[in-house]
Amino acid sequence: MYKVVTKRFLNEAKTICLFEIEAPLVAKHAQAGQFVIFRLDEQGERVPVSVAGWDREKGTVTVMVQAAGRTTRMLHTVEQGDYITDFVGPLGKATEIEGLKKVCVVGGGVGCAIAYPIAKVMHEAGVEVTFIGGFRSADIVILKEELAAVSDKLIMCTDDGTYGEKGFTTQYLKQEIDANIAGGKPQFDRVIAIGPDIMMKFLADVTRPYGIKTIISLDPIMVDGTGMCGGCRVIVGGETKFACVDGPDFDAHEVDFDSLLKRAAFYKDEQDEAAKHICRMTGGKRNG
Amino acid sequence: MANMSLTKNPMPEQDPVVRSGNFDEVALGYTPEMAVDEAKRCLNCKNMPCRSGCPVSVRIPEFIAKVAEGDFDTAYEIITSTNSLPAVCGRVCPQEKQCESKCVRGIKGESVGIGRLERFVADYHMAKENKEPVKVPESNGHKIAVIGSGPAGLTCAGDLRKLGYDVTIFEAFHKSGGVLVYGIPQFRLPKEIVAAEIENLKAMGVNIVNNAVIGKAETIDELFEDGYEAVFIGSGAGLPQFLHIPGENLLGVYSANELLTRTNLMKAYRDDYDTPIKRFHRVAVVGAGNVAMDAARVAKRLGAEHVYITYRRGRDELPARLEEVEHAEAEGIEFNLLNNPCAIIGDENGHVTGIELIRQELGEPDEKGRRKPVAVPGSNWVLDVDTVIIAIGTSPNPLIKSTTEGLATTRKGGIEADEKGQTSREGIFAGGDAVTGAATVILAMGAGKTGAKSIDEYIKSKNK
């Protein structure tokens, strides 16, 4: 059993919640870009979620989870001091930051929670970080101060203009790339983009003509997270890769987004159906 | 007087039509009367040929003699003196290739039902109330780490604990048992049986840490820093192989591992569990080993109207145990033999609609003596299915080898170990599928046993 040490909603609309979990074995080596798998209780599914932070001395790991399907909505009802049954990791490879000097990090919605620790470790390593955070509207914006603290330049935007700039991450990414060209060459040596699959597909289209290496973090459907089920197959550069062990980071210009988008929707009907049946009396908790 | 019947007492089974709609165990087990009667077929040969066929050297004639006397408790003690998981072995060992293949009674007629008797004795003990408490061997103060709680790891841990070692098993999954819980289905090996065997080991003092992915959360070198004096790697062969044919990433193509893990470990077949599984109607299983049979029978139980085993060779070449093939046939699994897949076909939404097969003929025997399938040109045809399950084998998981410096591996990705389980690094031993690639439960148990013996010798020689 793993104790929830801290629980805190990160935005006004309470769509994304921070959980600090006591898990010394995970905290020991967790790195930005890796993920964990949690299971709420005996009947629960195994759900992957990115590592958002860690405290090696306290032995805790932080995750930021958006309520989307049944399990994540049930997780949001777990309180500080409660326990969840399983929390395993760190899994997947850490984001590569070695040798980078100037990077543009783009986060879309809850993707900012995954992008945040990556920006943070780069910032601490002396990399110049431009961060572009995009959200639908002001009520779901997260990590305003945290992101400001780890980026040399921060652009926050919302689709409806209720917070920060008005517009989409794609247009601000293009604007930043164009504003940072010297001698005909883009100055960003990498773009790291994390958000909905469709957003990452369009961001990849933005950077492609500039030839800037663009890394995205994928979270396809998976069961074990250690290379055993093969459910998380993605096609990268024409080859089948397992996101859980070969990723979750991949070169955006090599990823077959068409197959990725289709595979991600495979269980949509089952998930929608399951989400309808969360007990209203207990808020979904099975074990009281 | 020995029972001279030429045939085994038949195993009572659930009716095939009924069982293909449920996940309850197929084989129901002997009654005490059947067990005694079967035990009396044993001739108690002095040279014990059966025992030489057992990878964990169960004292077969001795325990069977006790069963014949009706002394099931002593029979249990005899079995467990060399085998930590009798209820598991009695169910899933390929006895026909091991102990029973050496049985003198098998020369004329059927061998003694050794596996069935082992299962009976283990189940009898498990069902017994007021059992004697498990003996906890005194600690000798030496810490040993075992990676993986599958058959190799559990056997190694059990044997080491009996010798007094303080053993900790590190298991990546939330549940212990490895392939016994994620791979082998409930109807062949009930998970309650596995859990009970594991509880026995825990009662004996074996410590199990779940959710511990060695190679990620901690490396083997860190285990040594933590005070473990030797490590046994029994991490299995969990990596699914794919066919590398067009269409393999379409929606509705599963590895057998995914289907089995969702169903067996995550209990997708039960309404009270959250893990989803797609409803399917027509399923093609590619491959014909024991895992393919398991996957096909699981698919049938999950409601598929048609389940086809597609295999490039013929019935005589099927790699699965005959018993598994017969069970599958009785449950209505359809065999599409001498057919090799060349592509998986999908609709515009990426969902599987069929599998393209090409007919095969058997040619000359290959170096292993198996007749080689040869494609018949122009014989391609499409089998309409909505789901394809790939069950063509698994490889050892690379997580440990990629994070352990100096650990030599084989060309096929297994960890290199000699016949004693010694790897290329001092203090690190390995066995089971992690070394050999996918094999059987009992061979892994044998390797776990060997590993335990070698670790004991290693620790003793180091502390001389």
Side-chain angles (χ1 to χ4, degrees):
Chain A
M1 299 293 274
Y2 299 80
K3 188 176 182 181
V4 177
V5 183
T6 314
K7 176 198 180 182
R8 170 160 64 85
F9 282 100
L10 292 172
N11 55 18
E12 208 182 296
K14 296 193 171 184
T15 55
I16 301 173
C17 190
L18 174 150
F19 296 89
E20 185 186 4
I21 311 281
E22 204 170 75
L25 200 57
V26 186
K28 197 168 171 184
H29 290 298
Q31 284 177 280
Q34 289 187 297
F35 66 95
V36 296
I37 283 182
F38 75 89
R39 208 170 65 115
L40 282 180
D41 54 28
E42 188 46 42
Q43 288 82 27
E45 332 173 62
R46 289 171 69 94
V47 176
V49 50
S50 293
V51 166
W54 55 84
D55 186 327
R56 304 212 200 279
E57 272 167 29
K58 260 170 85 185
T60 61
V61 172
T62 303
V63 293
M64 300 174 186
V65 183
Q66 175 163 259
R70 176 186 172 90
T71 302
T72 46
R73 283 169 59 184
M74 284 166 66
L75 177 68
H76 275 213
T77 69
V78 171
E79 299 300 337
Q80 196 159 306
D82 287 353
Y83 289 81
I84 56 174
T85 302
D86 297 292
F87 194 81
V88 56
L91 300 167
K93 291 180 178 162
T95 300
E96 285 174 23
I97 62 160
E98 228 176 84
L100 299 178
K101 293 192 179 64
K102 186 176 166 74
V103 174
C104 186
V105 182
V106 188
V110 73
C112 288
I114 307 158
Y116 165 65
I118 300 170
K120 187 169 179 239
V121 293
M122 288 197 292
H123 180 73
E124 284 164 1
V127 182
E128 188 187 329
V129 176
T130 298
F131 197 104
I132 303 170
F135 296 88
R136 208 176 53 240
S137 58
D139 61 333
I140 60 165
V141 175
I142 59 169
L143 302 173
K144 294 170 194 169
E145 290 87 35
E146 290 87 344
L147 290 172
V150 299
S151 38
D152 297 273
K153 181 171 185 183
L154 174 66
I155 300 168
M156 295 289 258
C157 59
T158 46
D159 300 358
D160 59 4
T162 48
Y163 181 80
E165 310 288 329
K166 183 176 191 309
F168 299 107
T169 52
T170 40
Q171 78 191 68
Y172 292 102
L173 174 61
K174 183 159 181 3
Q175 175 190 305
E176 281 309 297
I177 295 172
D178 287 336
N180 287 279
I181 290 187
K185 274 182 68 182
Q187 296 301 289
F188 287 113
D189 41 26
R190 187 154 303 175
V191 170
I192 297 173
I194 302 162
D197 292 343
I198 191 74
M199 181 196 96
M200 295 192 287
K201 176 182 154 82
F202 288 125
L203 289 168
D205 290 341
V206 170
T207 58
R208 195 173 283 115
Y210 296 94
I212 305 171
K213 184 163 180 179
T214 302
I215 297 296
I216 54 175
S217 176
L218 302 183
D219 61 343
I221 293 164
M222 58 177 75
V223 183
D224 62 289
T226 61
M228 283 181 47
C229 77
C232 65
R233 311 200 282 292
V234 287
I235 305 171
V236 183
E239 270 181 61
T240 295
K241 300 275 182 191
F242 290 180
C244 66
V245 286
D246 300 320
D249 288 2
F250 291 103
D251 187 330
H253 298 148
E254 302 267 321
V255 168
D256 178 345
F257 281 101
D258 186 40
S259 151
L260 180 74
L261 288 161
K262 281 178 179 158
R263 288 188 68 85
F266 190 43
Y267 285 101
K268 196 174 174 302
D269 295 346
E270 285 79 0
Q271 281 164 340
D272 291 349
E273 189 58 29
K276 277 191 218 156
H277 300 289
I278 295 177
C279 176
R280 284 193 294 268
M281 298 276 291
T282 64
K285 270 189 245 182
R286 278 183 287 235
N287 301 335
Chain B
M1 177 60 204
N3 169 356
M4 292 315 289
S5 162
L6 290 180
T7 54
K8 290 177 190 175
N9 278 272
M11 179 60 120
E13 282 176 2
Q14 256 201 89
D15 178 81
V17 177
V18 175
R19 76 191 190 220
S20 67
N22 69 44
F23 276 85
D24 297 338
E25 194 170 15
V26 168
L28 301 171
Y30 278 169
T31 60
E33 295 73 30
M34 290 175 195
V36 170
D37 189 59
E38 183 64 24
K40 286 182 176 160
R41 294 186 60 229
C42 176
L43 302 176
N44 216 339
C45 310
K46 275 219 164 59
N47 56 348
M48 299 189 282
C50 48
R51 198 179 174 192
S52 70
C54 176
V56 297
S57 306
V58 168
R59 292 149 57 197
I60 294 165
E62 289 177 62
F63 98 75
I64 292 182
K66 289 296 166 192
V67 175
E69 289 170 22
D71 182 358
F72 308 138
D73 290 316
T74 310
Y76 182 78
E77 270 174 42
I78 293 169
I79 296 174
T80 49
S81 70
T82 66
N83 183 354
S84 314
L85 311 168
V88 173
C89 290
R91 286 173 167 81
V92 302
C93 270
Q95 290 101 6
E96 69 281 4
K97 285 184 189 155
Q98 289 164 339
C99 51
E100 294 183 11
S101 75
K102 315 267 182 187
C103 177
V104 170
R105 292 298 307 266
I107 298 169
K108 192 180 168 209
E110 287 181 350
S111 68
V112 175
I114 301 171
R116 295 172 183 182
L117 288 172
E118 183 180 35
R119 168 186 164 153
F120 167 78
V121 171
D123 287 0
Y124 170 85
H125 180 82
M126 214 170 264
K128 207 173 122 173
E129 283 168 32
N130 310 320
K131 284 191 267 281
E132 298 236 334
V134 179
K135 287 188 199 108
V136 182
E138 208 171 305
S139 164
N140 66 10
H142 296 287
K143 275 171 70 178
I144 312 290
V146 171
I147 301 166
S149 67
L154 290 175
T155 305
C156 185
D159 278 19
L160 286 168
R161 188 71 270 278
K162 281 179 196 159
L163 292 168
Y165 291 93
D166 292 329
V167 186
T168 300
I169 301 180
F170 294 91
E171 165 56 45
F173 269 137
H174 54 268
K175 257 202 176 50
S176 307
V179 73
L180 306 175
V181 293
Y182 77 74
I184 302 176
Q186 179 76 10
F187 54 83
R188 217 149 67 74
L189 178 62
K191 302 312 143 206
E192 300 73 28
I193 300 278
V194 181
E197 301 265 41
I198 290 168
E199 281 312 310
N200 262 340
L201 288 176
K202 283 187 180 168
M204 214 204 283
V206 172
N207 182 26
I208 304 184
V209 183
N210 289 95
N211 293 330
V213 185
I214 300 301
K216 281 284 173 192
E218 267 193 319
T219 62
I220 288 189
D221 288 294
E222 285 172 306
L223 293 175
F224 284 117
E225 284 165 30
D226 291 346
Y228 292 97
E229 294 176 60
V231 175
F232 178 81
I233 305 170
S235 51
L239 216 64
Q241 288 167 8
F242 284 90
L243 292 157
H244 304 291
I245 59 172
E248 216 164 11
N249 292 321
L250 288 169
L251 303 175
V253 183
Y254 293 87
S255 71
N257 256 9
E258 180 177 358
L259 178 85
L260 293 172
T261 304
R262 278 183 188 273
T263 316
N264 302 333
L265 179 76
M266 304 307 296
K267 310 246 179 281
Y269 67 94
R270 281 172 51 170
D271 285 342
D272 52 339
Y273 281 71
D274 286 344
T275 298
I277 193 106
K278 274 281 168 193
R279 287 304 297 263
F280 35 58
H281 304 280
R282 298 170 62 86
V283 179
V285 176
V286 180
N290 291 324
V291 173
M293 299 303 143
D294 283 348
R297 295 168 72 194
V298 162
K300 189 84 185 175
R301 282 162 173 76
L302 288 171
E305 287 103 51
H306 291 277
V307 181
Y308 304 94
I309 294 270
T310 65
Y311 180 54
R312 61 199 178 126
R313 291 185 163 93
R315 197 176 189 285
D316 291 344
E317 288 80 26
L318 288 173
R321 289 179 68 189
L322 184 62
E323 186 186 319
E324 302 304 326
V325 174
E326 286 171 355
H327 276 147
E329 282 174 337
E331 289 167 17
I333 307 297
E334 296 155 68
F335 283 70
N336 232 320
L337 302 169
L338 291 167
N339 273 292
N340 202 25
C342 38
I344 299 165
I345 300 158
D347 61 17
E348 67 284 1
N349 298 318
H351 289 262
V352 171
T353 57
I355 182 165
E356 186 183 331
L357 302 164
I358 181 160
R359 292 190 207 282
Q360 310 283 307
E361 274 172 1
L362 288 182
E364 294 301 306
D366 61 12
E367 59 277 10
K368 282 182 186 162
R370 282 204 305 181
R371 292 179 66 191
K372 224 177 139 166
V374 184
V376 179
S379 67
N380 300 46
W381 63 290
V382 174
L383 175 66
D384 289 342
V385 290
D386 53 26
T387 298
V388 174
I389 297 161
I390 313 290
I392 56 165
T394 52
S395 327
N397 198 311
L399 279 183
I400 287 175
K401 72 174 186 207
S402 64
T403 53
T404 312
E405 227 171 287
L407 193 66
T409 50
T410 64
R411 253 187 319 130
K412 286 186 173 169
I415 293 164
E416 216 171 271
D418 66 14
E419 71 284 356
K420 290 185 156 183
Q422 173 69 56
T423 68
S424 58
R425 276 198 44 188
E426 192 194 326
I428 303 182
F429 299 80
D433 286 4
V435 171
T436 58
T440 61
V441 167
I442 189 68
L443 286 175
M445 290 178 62
K449 213 168 187 51
T450 307
K453 193 164 167 268
S454 303
I455 287 173
D456 181 46
E457 284 164 11
Y458 167 72
I459 299 289
K460 280 182 178 145
S461 71
K462 219 178 62 165
N463 292 285
K464 246 179 203 162

